[in-house]
Amino acid sequence: MPNLDAEALCAQLIEQMRPQVSADTALVGIHTGGVWLAERLHQALGLKQPLGAIDVSFYRDDYGSKGLHPQPQRTEIPFNVEGAHVIIVDDVLYTGRTTRAALNELFDFGRPACVELAVLVDRGGRELPIGARYCAHTLPQPLPASQSLQLERAEDGTFALRLIDA
């Protein structure tokens, strides 16, 4: 896998999204890396809708086999979802199951007019028919299941991507 510059990818994602969003577009980040990325996108794009955050722990289809995440976060959707243009934001797209869980949870808050997905990296390995409308980088070859790609945020707020062998 090539060395990926998370800061450059973030800037690229912002430029992809800028012509397609309006001040009324709502962003919802998936905990944790997706929330960090959504915070950065929200500020750079000058959106007026408050930023939302989703923890999909209770909506995952593997909840029964894996159990609850050890530190579940709070879901906060501080805008009216009904009829809204919503972009779900995640750091890395893999199987699509996290995105499916986020969609299920989002629809518990109302019926948006449009839902799109923005990710920093698509690592391949999809198990569901889900794709990102906005994606800064798609790996040329899917990562093996034994590896994960993780977004990290330093104390100064800068992003880095780390490849982890399980």
Side-chain angles (χ1 to χ4, degrees):
M1 184 187 91
N3 188 19
L4 299 175
D5 180 343
E7 287 295 325
L9 292 177
C10 184
Q12 184 178 337
L13 187 59
I14 290 165
E15 293 313 309
Q16 275 184 31
M17 295 174 69
R18 189 178 309 280
Q20 307 300 322
V21 300
S22 72
D24 292 327
T25 301
L27 297 183
V28 176
I30 299 175
H31 280 291
T32 296
V35 171
W36 296 339
L37 182 56
E39 288 169 350
R40 182 84 65 86
L41 296 172
H42 190 267
Q43 180 182 16
L45 296 169
L47 304 178
K48 71 176 186 180
Q49 289 286 356
L51 180 63
I54 281 185
D55 182 335
V56 299
S57 297
F58 294 108
Y59 287 80
R60 293 192 55 89
D61 59 6
D62 58 1
Y63 174 76
S65 62
K66 287 188 175 181
L68 183 61
H69 186 280
Q71 296 176 336
Q73 304 289 319
R74 182 181 180 137
T75 291
E76 294 183 49
I77 308 292
F79 58 87
N80 185 6
V81 171
E82 199 68 34
H85 173 204
V86 178
I87 300 175
I88 294 174
V89 180
D90 205 2
D91 51 355
V92 179
L93 178 57
Y94 179 26
T95 62
R97 293 182 182 278
T98 298
T99 304
R100 183 213 49 84
L103 284 166
N104 286 357
E105 186 166 1
L106 181 66
F107 273 77
D108 282 351
F109 288 86
R111 186 177 188 274
C114 174
V115 180
E116 296 174 313
L117 177 63
V119 299
L120 207 54
V121 178
D122 182 341
R123 62 162 282 169
R126 210 79 69 249
E127 295 174 359
L128 297 174
I130 289 176
R133 168 77 161 78
Y134 310 100
C135 177
H137 183 77
T138 301
L139 296 180
Q141 297 293 322
L143 287 178
S146 62
Q147 292 182 320
S148 66
L149 190 59
Q150 182 175 318
L151 182 67
E152 297 179 338
R153 184 174 67 174
E155 285 185 24
D156 67 357
T158 58
F159 292 150
L161 285 162
R162 184 165 66 122
L163 185 63
I164 300 168
D165 291 309

